[in-house]
């Protein structure tokens, strides 16, 4: 069966520090991968999605970037974090372009 | 882009009660999905339901695509049903992505 792993679960970082969040999917090939952010008590905002290795689409201009170095690995990065980058970050995947969406367990990021 | 509205925004019920959550969308969709976010933040896909009715235990969902709405029914509520319920739609046309509603926060009181 397919599983998605996301780490770390919580992260506290100072303003101006770098960020790297990693997500991996097991049990499937060539998934579509997504990064979402959720502010406290709010809905989900799509940040990036990828349909294949090295293919990244950005939905919102921001301080973050994403990379997909391997088929089932998706990384969210920042060179210098801002206070406004705080939030709950969720990785997700679908098997097909408009398929059933499955989420990882999320990373709670606090930038202080 | 497509608009997705959920109602009610908040719902507080006694354990054992039944509830109906609604999701309205403004354009034709390829599919609709319902999610439950528990108090610890985990999002679980409950239903993938482009049309018709599906049931899973105490939960069932109905999507009437021609009338642009979907309903999520929860029967005999339990405290573990608490959390936020999101619907999300994938528009039929264009390059739009999965669009989430703003959610219904359900609180089940013992």
């Amino acid at each position: 069966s397919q599983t998605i792993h996301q780490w770390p679960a919580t992260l506290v970082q100072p303003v101006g520090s770098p960020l790297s969040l990693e997500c991996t999917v097991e049990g499937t090939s060539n998934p579509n991968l997504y990064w979402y952010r959720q502010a406290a008590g709010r809905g989900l905002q799509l940040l990036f999605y990828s349909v294949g290795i090295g293919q990244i689409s950005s939905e919102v201009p921001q301080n973050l970037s994403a990379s997909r170095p391997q088929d089932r690995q998706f990384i969210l990065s920042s060179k210098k974090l801002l206070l406004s980058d705080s939030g709950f970050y969720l990785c997700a995947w679908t098997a097909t372009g408009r398929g059933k969406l499955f989420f990882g367990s999320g990373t709670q990021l606090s930038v202080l | 882009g497509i608009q997705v509205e959920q109602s009610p925004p908040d719902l507080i019920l006694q354990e054992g009660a039944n509830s109906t959550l609604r999701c309205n969308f403004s354009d034709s969709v390829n599919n609709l999905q319902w999610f439950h976010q528990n108090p610890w933040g985990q999002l679980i896909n409950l239903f993938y339901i482009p049309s018709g009715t599906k049931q899973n235990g105490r939960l069932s969902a109905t999507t009437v695509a021609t009338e642009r709405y979907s309903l999520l029914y929860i029967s005999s509520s339990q405290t573990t049903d608490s959390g936020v319920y999101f619907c999300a739609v994938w528009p039929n046309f264009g390059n739009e992505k999965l669009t989430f509603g703003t959610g219904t926060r359900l609180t089940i009181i013992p």
Side-chain angles (χ1 to χ4, degrees):
Chain A
S1 64
Q2 302 91 353
T3 56
I4 178 169
H5 302 281
Q6 187 181 343
W7 65 94
T10 58
L11 192 58
V12 180
Q13 293 285 98
V15 170
S17 64
L19 172 73
S20 181
L21 302 180
E22 189 165 341
C23 169
T24 59
V25 180
E26 296 179 356
T28 188
S29 297
N30 197 32
N32 289 355
L33 298 171
Y34 307 84
W35 278 111
Y36 285 87
R37 178 169 61 197
Q38 186 178 32
R42 304 286 296 274
L44 290 105
Q45 178 188 37
L46 178 63
L47 302 176
F48 301 95
Y49 71 96
S50 171
V51 298
I53 296 174
Q55 300 179 61
I56 308 295
S57 295
S58 173
E59 290 295 300
V60 182
Q62 59 210 325
N63 186 41
L64 303 169
S65 62
S67 62
R68 185 170 177 174
Q70 299 180 43
D71 181 42
R72 290 169 289 176
Q73 183 185 30
F74 206 22
I75 298 172
L76 183 69
S77 304
S78 173
K79 293 182 179 178
K80 289 186 178 182
L81 284 169
L82 306 172
L83 287 173
S84 57
D85 291 324
S86 293
F88 190 53
Y89 289 82
L90 291 145
C91 182
W93 72 277
T94 59
T96 61
R98 287 173 171 168
K100 193 171 182 179
L101 185 69
F102 298 96
F103 283 93
S105 53
T107 296
Q108 183 64 54
L109 173 66
S110 299
V111 182
L112 306 176
Chain B
I2 193 168
Q3 303 300 312
V4 183
E5 296 180 356
Q6 292 187 242
S7 60
D10 293 279
L11 189 57
I12 301 174
L13 296 172
Q14 205 76 33
E15 197 169 21
N18 302 328
S19 59
T20 301
L21 282 57
R22 188 177 180 100
C23 173
N24 292 331
F25 42 95
S26 61
D27 208 342
S28 63
V29 298
N30 178 275
N31 69 74
L32 183 144
Q33 304 182 38
W34 282 98
F35 298 86
H36 174 222
Q37 187 170 34
N38 66 24
W40 297 272
Q42 178 71 50
L43 273 153
I44 302 298
N45 194 308
L46 299 174
F47 293 102
Y48 178 97
I49 183 166
S51 64
T53 298
K54 290 187 177 180
Q55 181 151 10
N56 184 2
R58 296 181 294 103
L59 275 62
S60 64
T62 295
T63 296
V64 184
T66 53
E67 297 186 21
R68 300 182 182 172
Y69 74 89
S70 182
L71 302 174
L72 178 68
Y73 305 96
I74 305 173
S75 64
S76 304
S77 298
Q78 300 176 358
T79 54
T80 51
D81 295 329
S82 295
V84 182
Y85 290 81
F86 292 100
C87 67
V89 301
W90 224 303
N92 246 338
F93 305 108
N95 206 22
E96 295 190 54
K97 308 304 176 290
L98 191 65
T99 301
F100 282 80
T102 51
T104 292
R105 182 173 298 277
L106 176 65
T107 303
I108 304 299
I109 301 172

